[in-house]
Amino acid sequence: MGDIDLPSRLFADREEPNGDRVNQYFKLYAIKVVLKALQPSELEIIRPCFGKLLDAYSKPTFSGKLAHFLLTRQLNVNKRHEIWVIFAGKPVRFSLREFGLVTGLDCSPLPTLDRALLKAPPGVTPYWFTLFGGEDCFTGEMLLAKLRRPKSLTSDLRVKYACLLLVDGLLCRRSYHMKIPKAHCEMIRDLDVFLKYPWGRYSFDMTMRCIKSRSIIQLAQQTVAIQGFIHALVLVLIESVPAVGSAVGEATDPESGDEDEHPVISLKLDKVWDLDGEKQVVVHSVLPSDADVPCVSDCSWPDEVTDPSVEVMLQKIEEGVSFSRGMFAGGVRASEVQVEPPPRVVARGKRKVRSRQSAGGMSRGESSRSKKQRVRTGRSKSTLPESNGVSDDYISTIAESMKKVQIDLYAHLCVEIKSMELRLERSMQATVATTVSDAISSRDVVDKVLRSIGVGYSQPNVPTDAPMPGFTPQANPLPQNAPPPTQTDGSQGNGSSVGSDERSTSQSPDADPVEVPLVASDAKFLKLSQTILPTMTFAFPDSGVLSHSELLSIPNCIPPDNTRIMDACVSSLRESLADNSNIAAASRADILPSTFHGSLAPMYAKFKKCRRKETFEFDAALLRSVAARSSATGRTWLADIHFLYSPFNIDRNRWIAVMIDLSAHCLTVFDSTANVRRGSRLKPELEFICEMFPYLVRQVGANEVMKNFPLQPLVFTRNTHVAQASTLGSSGVLSLLFMEAHALGGLEEVSKMSEFGARSRAERLVVEMYEHCCGDIELE
């Protein structure tokens, strides 16, 4: 047991998709309708079954974004009837036991019901007609409408309508317009039988089956639909993390608008995200229960399988081990998942139909008669000849035996496959560790040789070892001898290879104190700020001329309404990237000016109206600029360049970094002001790029790969797990350095960026811009 590792993640840490929401089919407002429609005596009839569920309306309201957040932080476990999610680096279990504790529903094993309880005997009028009269179908919305006028119903009908609404309109709903099952209507003929049925297990099984059926690709999409009662997962988080209880707003009721005793409590998601980033958050991995709760007395499953990694995790929980993010490794990057494009909307008369052609769809040359025959054949139900009672007994016995063999075989295969994966992973980790240790040892030998002969060397873009002045937005730099800021555990000062704020205050005794790499960077900026003349101007390609005040203001703020300053920084940053010794990083990326994507916007209206969009003609100047850049550098898109970066002005008050991954066919936004606008509202602002850019690539057509570039829109993603700007003015510098960090090291380097480190790199960028125009700055 000790050799087995903890479960791995579905998505890599801090590489999870930034989904918009989970689409649920239920409405918590149904609970309020029941509470207002029933009399106190009628509520007492259903409280033994649905009492805690009725009280759930006083808990924070359902959040589809939070549910998506939790589903994308699952661990990869073999369990059929439970999932584990990571919050604040600690595991949280969602199983039948947790479902019963938060809902209070009976979760005992499903009993075998008599057929007479589910279907009316011959000669007896089905109970459907007693409940709904001559209606052919009845939905949850129709029940809501009935219960909104409770005085027109008898007491018996009010109670039974409420029970059906809670079960089929809330707990076990499969679609927006799901019909009330006639078997449930027949069962409620005897209200006691209906209330004693274990609806908790029935609802949980539907919910868990739907969660388990969702693939990595579906979870990586902006929205994912979940049947059943997914709100129970949110309730489990609220109970498992007591601090989430403080992340609530004022009690409001946006659905009804009236004042009553059952208000809706909003959940502040920003506070929840902050809690997830903290380390010292109290998290109950398994919900505690003070006493034996009857509803969860038997939560076992006959077909459940064992997972050794889950057993190890449970053992560590019992031992009181403090979990952290680094203990759960593995997982895929959301940016690498090929997300399917949304279905095409086809207008048919007054209706809009979503068409998704499947592999087995009708071919264009197929005749109408064969189409009808195939549809009828596919929809026809297989019928078995009637058999006597003896044959039925044999068939049922064989079916039960086969089911047991299938369960045992599945469990055995799962355990063997899991153990094989663990052996392979340990072998790979040992190989990687050996390789890394050999490389480190080799570098130590080289360092010692260089020190012994008195030769110093440096690496590009390594931050200086000199103390860095503290950073305050919109403030002038402090003197060079100011003490460095104190780093706290909660800061984002881990540093990176680009613009890091990590500083070393001591040197090796063997090192030559004279040769310190890049010490002159901050001193040059200090001298530059003291000696630059107000009459000086600086010319940059693709941007124009900057004044001395505009140049010195770059570390503090890049105005969103001044594209000249931003494009001048882009020009210098692009040259710095090309001169970097990391040839692989420099050759695979290119940074475009801020005006590049902006030039596509005026053409979007005409592009939308064009029926044959592959014939749309883009602006000749735009095409010439791409061709000129390719001829000047000798590199073309997709053949040599796979990542295109560009700063983008949003709302004329802030900057974001836009990254187009040509190979993955996606557009990613690095947003340092994530709290200003949600991703669902940001996506329409960049929709013109997602739709037009594939056609632009084809029309440029500098190589064969570009000529065959897929024409479906780019997939939009938004990365908010980056350093956040303290002011909107800092968003420009952060956006620039996000692009440089991703070009040199990918998402890992982007996540290491901090606002203080951005200030440090921006000062060196200003020095580079000055030296490009006026020559090197000489230090005394």
Side-chain angles (χ1 to χ4, degrees), residues 141-160:
E141 277 69 24
M142 299 171 73
L143 281 175
L144 276 172
K146 288 281 188 181
L147 287 175
R148 283 195 178 101
R149 298 187 297 273
K151 294 183 179 179
S152 62
L153 304 173
T154 63
S155 177
D156 185 56
L157 278 181
R158 281 198 299 268
V159 172
K160 292 182 177 180

Side-chain angles (χ1 to χ4, degrees), residues 355-412:
S355 64
R356 188 187 296 272
Q357 186 70 22
S358 61
M362 301 179 185
S363 61
R364 182 173 297 180
E366 191 176 4
S367 64
S368 59
R369 178 176 298 179
S370 60
K371 292 178 183 177
K372 294 179 181 179
Q373 182 65 28
R374 186 165 56 80
V375 172
R376 291 170 183 170
T377 305
R379 292 182 178 178
S380 62
K381 298 181 180 179
S382 60
T383 58
L384 295 176
E386 295 184 359
S387 58
N388 53 32
V390 178
S391 299
D392 291 340
D393 293 340
Y394 281 127
I395 292 174
S396 62
T397 303
I398 294 173
E400 291 178 0
S401 301
M402 292 294 293
K403 186 175 181 180
K404 291 181 180 179
V405 173
Q406 181 182 4
I407 293 172
D408 296 339
L409 180 61
Y410 178 81
H412 180 73

Side-chain angles (χ1 to χ4, degrees), residues 414-725:
C414 287
V415 173
E416 290 297 327
I417 292 174
K418 187 68 175 181
S419 60
M420 184 184 301
E421 290 178 354
L422 294 174
R423 288 196 300 270
L424 290 174
E425 186 176 356
R426 284 196 296 270
S427 177
M428 185 178 296
Q429 289 176 352
T431 304
V432 173
T434 303
T435 305
V436 172
S437 62
D438 293 343
I440 294 175
S441 300
S442 301
R443 180 169 180 174
D444 291 341
V445 173
V446 175
D447 290 345
K448 291 180 180 178
V449 172
L450 292 176
R451 294 191 187 101
S452 63
I453 63 177
V455 177
Y457 69 99
S458 62
Q459 295 183 4
N461 288 330
V462 176
T464 176
D465 291 339
M468 177 64 63
F471 169 58
T472 302
Q474 307 297 338
N476 292 326
L478 298 177
Q480 185 183 5
N481 58 359
T486 303
Q487 295 288 347
T488 61
D489 295 339
S491 65
Q492 297 180 350
N494 296 330
S496 67
S497 61
V498 183
S500 173
D501 60 332
E502 188 174 317
R503 296 290 180 264
S504 175
T505 56
S506 62
Q507 296 181 353
S508 173
D510 298 332
D512 188 353
V514 176
E515 296 189 27
V516 180
L518 293 181
V519 167
S521 176
D522 295 333
K524 285 184 177 181
F525 181 79
L526 183 61
K527 183 176 181 180
L528 172 65
S529 62
Q530 295 173 349
T531 59
I532 191 172
L533 299 177
T535 58
M536 298 181 67
T537 58
F538 309 91
F540 298 93
D542 303 329
S543 60
V545 178
L546 300 185
S547 65
H548 83 289
S549 59
E550 290 175 332
L551 185 67
L552 292 179
S553 66
I554 290 176
N556 293 328
C557 175
I558 300 179
D561 57 348
N562 193 334
T563 58
R564 290 185 300 103
I565 300 179
M566 176 58 78
D567 289 342
C569 295
V570 168
S571 176
S572 180
L573 196 63
R574 187 164 55 189
E575 297 302 325
S576 175
L577 184 64
D579 295 339
N580 193 278
S581 62
N582 189 347
I583 303 299
S587 61
R588 66 172 185 159
D590 193 11
I591 304 179
L592 306 175
S594 63
T595 55
F596 182 82
H597 289 142
S599 61
L600 293 176
M603 296 182 281
Y604 185 56
K606 187 177 180 181
F607 176 82
K608 290 288 288 184
K609 296 178 181 179
C610 183
R611 293 186 177 181
R612 298 184 58 189
K613 292 182 171 50
E614 60 273 10
T615 63
F616 180 80
E617 295 184 0
F618 288 87
D619 183 56
L622 178 65
L623 298 177
R624 285 196 300 269
S625 66
V626 178
R629 177 64 180 169
S630 299
S631 60
T633 60
R635 298 181 297 156
T636 58
W637 296 350
L638 286 170
D640 307 300
I641 298 173
H642 300 283
F643 296 95
L644 296 174
Y645 309 92
S646 175
F648 195 87
N649 190 335
I650 292 292
D651 299 334
R652 297 184 179 181
N653 62 0
R654 60 194 180 98
W655 293 97
I656 59 175
V658 175
M659 183 268 289
I660 296 179
D661 188 344
L662 295 172
S663 301
H665 206 79
C666 71
L667 181 148
T668 302
V669 172
F670 298 110
D671 193 354
S672 62
T673 55
N675 59 340
V676 176
R677 181 183 291 198
R678 293 180 56 186
S680 59
R681 296 185 178 180
L682 180 63
K683 181 179 179 181
E685 297 286 342
L686 302 175
E687 187 175 6
F688 72 95
I689 302 178
C690 296
E691 294 186 8
M692 299 179 68
F693 200 81
Y695 294 91
L696 175 64
V697 174
R698 276 207 179 183
Q699 197 162 129
V700 172
N703 52 57
E704 291 298 324
V705 185
M706 294 177 66
K707 294 178 182 179
N708 298 320
F709 193 70
L711 293 180
Q712 62 261 29
L714 301 178
V715 178
F716 176 86
T717 59
R718 180 182 181 226
N719 191 333
T720 58
H721 298 288
V722 295
Q724 296 297 297

